[in-house]
Amino acid sequence: MTVLPTISFAKSAAPKKGTAVFLVAKGGKPPALAAEIDPSGVIARAMEVSSFDGKAKSVVDIVAPAGSPVDRILILGVGEPEKVGEGDWTALGGLLRGKTASDKAVSALLECEGMEISPEAAAGFAQGMLLRAYDFDKYKTKKKDNGDDKPVAQKATLMVDNTAAAKKAWSEAEGVARGIMLARDLVNEPANILGPVEFAARAEALSALGVEIEILTEKEMKKLGMGALLGVAQGSVRPPRLVVMKWNGGKAKDKPVAFIGKGVVFDTGGISIKPAGGMEDMKGDMGGAAAVTGLMHALAARNAKANVIGIIGLVENMPDGNAQRPGDIVTSMSGQTIEVINTDAEGRLVLCDALWYCKETYQPKFMINLATLTGAILIALGQNRAGLFCNDDELAGQIFESGEATGEKVWRMPMGPEYDKMIDSKFADMKNVGGRHAGSITAAQFLKRFVGDVPWSHLDIAGTAMSSPATDTNQSWGSGYGVRLLDRLVADHYEG
Ligand code: BES
Ligand code: MN
Ligand code: ZN
């Protein structure tokens, strides 16, 4: 079982036991307090011997000398002060946790010569420690309960200048970390355990935080005319759900902002079935819905002063005697008809009804959808940036900046009428694929036909949500990508 560290904040002082941690900026030296635990000047010597110069993420790891009250001393390089952003503090906290996972007591002095460490930076550092400790091991029956892998209940003490301010910032950042870990849990969970109904139940649990939940069943979606979403669901014995999460933290008269997530709990491709190799990854095809659910958790937990709607379309895409066929024509809630050329392009069919429903029901300030929508976005951008598609330059700019600040980065992709015409159909208003070229863009053009005049953005997170490379802040398959990005967007532009 994951044992998360217990984090507390204290006034700056010399660490008294366990592992002591100090920060050093590029070309700088350790804070004066370090001398108190270093009677023989071993820190300076070790820095010199290892040519440590404070470069970002460089580490000096020392067994404390006789006469010191602590056991181990870690010096972390912070890099050039003017280049250290919010995401870098989180990464640094994660790096520290990675180095000290089996240490019972860690005391880090968050002071650095030549730079001011804000309460938010300290909270980000703590967030990184928590996120790095996350481990999805609930199905490992041979628990690591002895030997070197024995999980330790770590007590981490972060020493700062202003403890009250750091504690306040942490109370918010911790809520965001919990939201990220919820999103990871949902992505990592296998599809036999997490069907649409079970996913809806996990979302429903957010009511404990004051999130209002509404769950639409198949019958209700039929009545609304959601023929595109229901066409995908019809091949599965497990019925679909559409979950609406509402967080009313803003003024009553304020229009809400809205986030919409693709929640395909498993994507076999349907009748246009996928090849067997790697198909197990398609348990993560609900990464968009997971991010929206994690985001709602984060916003509620930190009591965000905004009105926010989260909508997730939950279905399973299966081949079956009752599954939809290539060539079928379905009618979406908007009234527009769609020729289903490829049943594996199902995400857009789910999202188009969820987007239209959102727009009609809530007239939101903006809609942002997240979806593991296309393999093509992996070819274009790899695993470090999500594809950003947008009909509004201001919103696109805000999302881009939030990405740079948090480290959950995006890259804007082009859209336009020349791409839009690639999805015109011989038989219906549109078809669900546009051919081999520009696959991520034609998918976005499809969605755009369902958002009217609402400022809208689509984030293609097929490369960033799952199958994630190990980083300082994540060692798990699911990353929880999107929670931090969109929490920051709301915090910076849509609160108060
Ligand atoms: N869920 C997939 C996209 C995907 C691929 C997500 C790899 C994560 C990793 C999506 O439903 C899909 O199958 N897209 C097709 C679209 C094609 C049929 C036009 C694809 O990308 O191949
Ligand atoms: Mn698919
Ligand atoms: Zn899919």
Side-chain angles (χ1 to χ4, degrees), residues 330-349:
V330 296
T331 303
S332 66
M333 184 185 168
S334 74
Q336 298 177 92
T337 56
I338 304 158
E339 184 188 8
V340 179
I341 300 288
N342 188 322
T343 65
D344 196 12
E346 84 297 339
R348 63 201 76 180
L349 298 171

PDB file of all heavy atoms in Angstrom, residues 330-349:
ATOM      1  N   VAL A 330     -25.904   7.855 -37.286  1.00  0.00           N
ATOM      2  CA  VAL A 330     -26.555   8.171 -36.014  1.00  0.00           C
ATOM      3  C   VAL A 330     -26.904   9.657 -35.968  1.00  0.00           C
ATOM      4  O   VAL A 330     -26.304  10.473 -36.675  1.00  0.00           O
ATOM      5  CB  VAL A 330     -25.641   7.818 -34.808  1.00  0.00           C
ATOM      6  CG1 VAL A 330     -25.381   6.327 -34.730  1.00  0.00           C
ATOM      7  CG2 VAL A 330     -24.302   8.583 -34.880  1.00  0.00           C
ATOM      8  N   THR A 331     -27.934   9.964 -35.144  1.00  0.00           N
ATOM      9  CA  THR A 331     -28.327  11.363 -34.984  1.00  0.00           C
ATOM     10  C   THR A 331     -27.925  11.847 -33.599  1.00  0.00           C
ATOM     11  O   THR A 331     -28.321  11.259 -32.592  1.00  0.00           O
ATOM     12  CB  THR A 331     -29.859  11.526 -35.170  1.00  0.00           C
ATOM     13  OG1 THR A 331     -30.208  11.019 -36.464  1.00  0.00           O
ATOM     14  CG2 THR A 331     -30.273  12.991 -35.087  1.00  0.00           C
ATOM     15  N   SER A 332     -27.105  12.896 -33.577  1.00  0.00           N
ATOM     16  CA  SER A 332     -26.628  13.442 -32.302  1.00  0.00           C
ATOM     17  C   SER A 332     -27.710  14.300 -31.661  1.00  0.00           C
ATOM     18  O   SER A 332     -28.706  14.658 -32.307  1.00  0.00           O
ATOM     19  CB  SER A 332     -25.380  14.286 -32.546  1.00  0.00           C
ATOM     20  OG  SER A 332     -25.737  15.427 -33.316  1.00  0.00           O
ATOM     21  N   MET A 333     -27.507  14.646 -30.400  1.00  0.00           N
ATOM     22  CA  MET A 333     -28.469  15.490 -29.688  1.00  0.00           C
ATOM     23  C   MET A 333     -28.670  16.829 -30.382  1.00  0.00           C
ATOM     24  O   MET A 333     -29.741  17.422 -30.325  1.00  0.00           O
ATOM     25  CB  MET A 333     -27.982  15.709 -28.252  1.00  0.00           C
ATOM     26  CG  MET A 333     -28.955  16.486 -27.393  1.00  0.00           C
ATOM     27  SD  MET A 333     -28.256  16.841 -25.761  1.00  0.00           S
ATOM     28  CE  MET A 333     -29.456  18.033 -25.171  1.00  0.00           C
ATOM     29  N   SER A 334     -27.638  17.309 -31.059  1.00  0.00           N
ATOM     30  CA  SER A 334     -27.731  18.594 -31.759  1.00  0.00           C
ATOM     31  C   SER A 334     -28.644  18.514 -32.983  1.00  0.00           C
ATOM     32  O   SER A 334     -28.980  19.532 -33.570  1.00  0.00           O
ATOM     33  CB  SER A 334     -26.330  19.025 -32.212  1.00  0.00           C
ATOM     34  OG  SER A 334     -25.905  18.231 -33.321  1.00  0.00           O
ATOM     35  N   GLY A 335     -28.997  17.293 -33.393  1.00  0.00           N
ATOM     36  CA  GLY A 335     -29.784  17.105 -34.609  1.00  0.00           C
ATOM     37  C   GLY A 335     -28.906  16.786 -35.810  1.00  0.00           C
ATOM     38  O   GLY A 335     -29.373  16.268 -36.827  1.00  0.00           O
ATOM     39  N   GLN A 336     -27.626  17.089 -35.715  1.00  0.00           N
ATOM     40  CA  GLN A 336     -26.705  16.787 -36.828  1.00  0.00           C
ATOM     41  C   GLN A 336     -26.508  15.275 -36.929  1.00  0.00           C
ATOM     42  O   GLN A 336     -26.378  14.582 -35.920  1.00  0.00           O
ATOM     43  CB  GLN A 336     -25.344  17.467 -36.591  1.00  0.00           C
ATOM     44  CG  GLN A 336     -25.426  18.988 -36.530  1.00  0.00           C
ATOM     45  CD  GLN A 336     -24.065  19.615 -36.227  1.00  0.00           C
ATOM     46  OE1 GLN A 336     -23.330  19.951 -37.143  1.00  0.00           O
ATOM     47  NE2 GLN A 336     -23.748  19.782 -34.972  1.00  0.00           N
ATOM     48  N   THR A 337     -26.436  14.780 -38.168  1.00  0.00           N
ATOM     49  CA  THR A 337     -26.264  13.341 -38.378  1.00  0.00           C
ATOM     50  C   THR A 337     -24.798  13.007 -38.664  1.00  0.00           C
ATOM     51  O   THR A 337     -24.063  13.813 -39.241  1.00  0.00           O
ATOM     52  CB  THR A 337     -27.131  12.860 -39.562  1.00  0.00           C
ATOM     53  OG1 THR A 337     -26.777  13.635 -40.718  1.00  0.00           O
ATOM     54  CG2 THR A 337     -28.617  13.028 -39.270  1.00  0.00           C
ATOM     55  N   ILE A 338     -24.421  11.807 -38.266  1.00  0.00           N
ATOM     56  CA  ILE A 338     -23.019  11.377 -38.373  1.00  0.00           C
ATOM     57  C   ILE A 338     -22.939   9.995 -38.998  1.00  0.00           C
ATOM     58  O   ILE A 338     -23.601   9.059 -38.527  1.00  0.00           O
ATOM     59  CB  ILE A 338     -22.356  11.312 -36.973  1.00  0.00           C
ATOM     60  CG1 ILE A 338     -22.468  12.663 -36.248  1.00  0.00           C
ATOM     61  CG2 ILE A 338     -20.891  10.879 -37.093  1.00  0.00           C
ATOM     62  CD1 ILE A 338     -22.335  12.555 -34.727  1.00  0.00           C
ATOM     63  N   GLU A 339     -22.148   9.884 -40.061  1.00  0.00           N
ATOM     64  CA  GLU A 339     -21.880   8.574 -40.634  1.00  0.00           C
ATOM     65  C   GLU A 339     -20.668   7.976 -39.917  1.00  0.00           C
ATOM     66  O   GLU A 339     -19.579   8.570 -39.917  1.00  0.00           O
ATOM     67  CB  GLU A 339     -21.599   8.712 -42.140  1.00  0.00           C
ATOM     68  CG  GLU A 339     -21.398   7.376 -42.831  1.00  0.00           C
ATOM     69  CD  GLU A 339     -20.932   7.498 -44.292  1.00  0.00           C
ATOM     70  OE1 GLU A 339     -20.612   8.638 -44.723  1.00  0.00           O
ATOM     71  OE2 GLU A 339     -20.878   6.463 -44.975  1.00  0.00           O
ATOM     72  N   VAL A 340     -20.875   6.826 -39.311  1.00  0.00           N
ATOM     73  CA  VAL A 340     -19.798   6.187 -38.540  1.00  0.00           C
ATOM     74  C   VAL A 340     -18.961   5.338 -39.503  1.00  0.00           C
ATOM     75  O   VAL A 340     -19.320   4.222 -39.846  1.00  0.00           O
ATOM     76  CB  VAL A 340     -20.369   5.306 -37.407  1.00  0.00           C
ATOM     77  CG1 VAL A 340     -19.247   4.626 -36.630  1.00  0.00           C
ATOM     78  CG2 VAL A 340     -21.232   6.141 -36.466  1.00  0.00           C
ATOM     79  N   ILE A 341     -17.875   5.898 -39.991  1.00  0.00           N
ATOM     80  CA  ILE A 341     -17.005   5.174 -40.917  1.00  0.00           C
ATOM     81  C   ILE A 341     -16.170   4.152 -40.169  1.00  0.00           C
ATOM     82  O   ILE A 341     -15.932   3.042 -40.625  1.00  0.00           O
ATOM     83  CB  ILE A 341     -16.048   6.162 -41.644  1.00  0.00           C
ATOM     84  CG1 ILE A 341     -16.854   7.192 -42.430  1.00  0.00           C
ATOM     85  CG2 ILE A 341     -15.041   5.424 -42.526  1.00  0.00           C
ATOM     86  CD1 ILE A 341     -17.545   6.679 -43.662  1.00  0.00           C
ATOM     87  N   ASN A 342     -15.710   4.555 -38.979  1.00  0.00           N
ATOM     88  CA  ASN A 342     -14.811   3.714 -38.186  1.00  0.00           C
ATOM     89  C   ASN A 342     -15.302   3.725 -36.746  1.00  0.00           C
ATOM     90  O   ASN A 342     -15.338   4.783 -36.108  1.00  0.00           O
ATOM     91  CB  ASN A 342     -13.382   4.268 -38.302  1.00  0.00           C
ATOM     92  CG  ASN A 342     -12.353   3.352 -37.667  1.00  0.00           C
ATOM     93  OD1 ASN A 342     -12.599   2.749 -36.614  1.00  0.00           O
ATOM     94  ND2 ASN A 342     -11.202   3.243 -38.301  1.00  0.00           N
ATOM     95  N   THR A 343     -15.654   2.557 -36.229  1.00  0.00           N
ATOM     96  CA  THR A 343     -16.216   2.528 -34.861  1.00  0.00           C
ATOM     97  C   THR A 343     -15.137   2.775 -33.804  1.00  0.00           C
ATOM     98  O   THR A 343     -15.445   2.931 -32.628  1.00  0.00           O
ATOM     99  CB  THR A 343     -16.912   1.187 -34.556  1.00  0.00           C
ATOM    100  OG1 THR A 343     -15.930   0.121 -34.564  1.00  0.00           O
ATOM    101  CG2 THR A 343     -18.000   0.879 -35.567  1.00  0.00           C
ATOM    102  N   ASP A 344     -13.876   2.804 -34.241  1.00  0.00           N
ATOM    103  CA  ASP A 344     -12.784   3.086 -33.308  1.00  0.00           C
ATOM    104  C   ASP A 344     -12.586   4.599 -33.102  1.00  0.00           C
ATOM    105  O   ASP A 344     -11.839   5.014 -32.229  1.00  0.00           O
ATOM    106  CB  ASP A 344     -11.490   2.442 -33.816  1.00  0.00           C
ATOM    107  CG  ASP A 344     -10.423   2.364 -32.741  1.00  0.00           C
ATOM    108  OD1 ASP A 344     -10.742   2.601 -31.558  1.00  0.00           O
ATOM    109  OD2 ASP A 344      -9.271   2.037 -33.093  1.00  0.00           O
ATOM    110  N   ALA A 345     -13.242   5.406 -33.903  1.00  0.00           N
ATOM    111  CA  ALA A 345     -13.205   6.857 -33.658  1.00  0.00           C
ATOM    112  C   ALA A 345     -14.440   7.194 -32.819  1.00  0.00           C
ATOM    113  O   ALA A 345     -15.346   7.917 -33.244  1.00  0.00           O
ATOM    114  CB  ALA A 345     -13.189   7.613 -34.981  1.00  0.00           C
ATOM    115  N   GLU A 346     -14.469   6.604 -31.608  1.00  0.00           N
ATOM    116  CA  GLU A 346     -15.669   6.663 -30.760  1.00  0.00           C
ATOM    117  C   GLU A 346     -15.664   7.829 -29.778  1.00  0.00           C
ATOM    118  O   GLU A 346     -16.719   8.287 -29.353  1.00  0.00           O
ATOM    119  CB  GLU A 346     -15.805   5.343 -29.996  1.00  0.00           C
ATOM    120  CG  GLU A 346     -15.005   5.222 -28.693  1.00  0.00           C
ATOM    121  CD  GLU A 346     -13.489   5.288 -28.876  1.00  0.00           C
ATOM    122  OE1 GLU A 346     -13.009   5.036 -30.007  1.00  0.00           O
ATOM    123  OE2 GLU A 346     -12.780   5.621 -27.910  1.00  0.00           O
ATOM    124  N   GLY A 347     -14.455   8.304 -29.433  1.00  0.00           N
ATOM    125  CA  GLY A 347     -14.378   9.350 -28.412  1.00  0.00           C
ATOM    126  C   GLY A 347     -15.145  10.595 -28.821  1.00  0.00           C
ATOM    127  O   GLY A 347     -15.883  11.187 -28.033  1.00  0.00           O
ATOM    128  N   ARG A 348     -14.985  10.991 -30.076  1.00  0.00           N
ATOM    129  CA  ARG A 348     -15.657  12.188 -30.563  1.00  0.00           C
ATOM    130  C   ARG A 348     -17.179  12.020 -30.563  1.00  0.00           C
ATOM    131  O   ARG A 348     -17.921  12.989 -30.405  1.00  0.00           O
ATOM    132  CB  ARG A 348     -15.108  12.564 -31.951  1.00  0.00           C
ATOM    133  CG  ARG A 348     -15.356  11.542 -33.027  1.00  0.00           C
ATOM    134  CD  ARG A 348     -14.404  11.665 -34.203  1.00  0.00           C
ATOM    135  NE  ARG A 348     -13.068  11.142 -33.913  1.00  0.00           N
ATOM    136  CZ  ARG A 348     -12.056  11.137 -34.774  1.00  0.00           C
ATOM    137  NH1 ARG A 348     -12.212  11.643 -35.989  1.00  0.00           N
ATOM    138  NH2 ARG A 348     -10.892  10.632 -34.431  1.00  0.00           N
ATOM    139  N   LEU A 349     -17.620  10.756 -30.725  1.00  0.00           N
ATOM    140  CA  LEU A 349     -19.066  10.498 -30.723  1.00  0.00           C
ATOM    141  C   LEU A 349     -19.648  10.659 -29.310  1.00  0.00           C
ATOM    142  O   LEU A 349     -20.789  11.071 -29.128  1.00  0.00           O
ATOM    143  CB  LEU A 349     -19.350   9.083 -31.238  1.00  0.00           C
ATOM    144  CG  LEU A 349     -18.913   8.825 -32.685  1.00  0.00           C
ATOM    145  CD1 LEU A 349     -19.019   7.335 -33.036  1.00  0.00           C
ATOM    146  CD2 LEU A 349     -19.752   9.654 -33.662  1.00  0.00           C
TER     147      LEU A 349
END
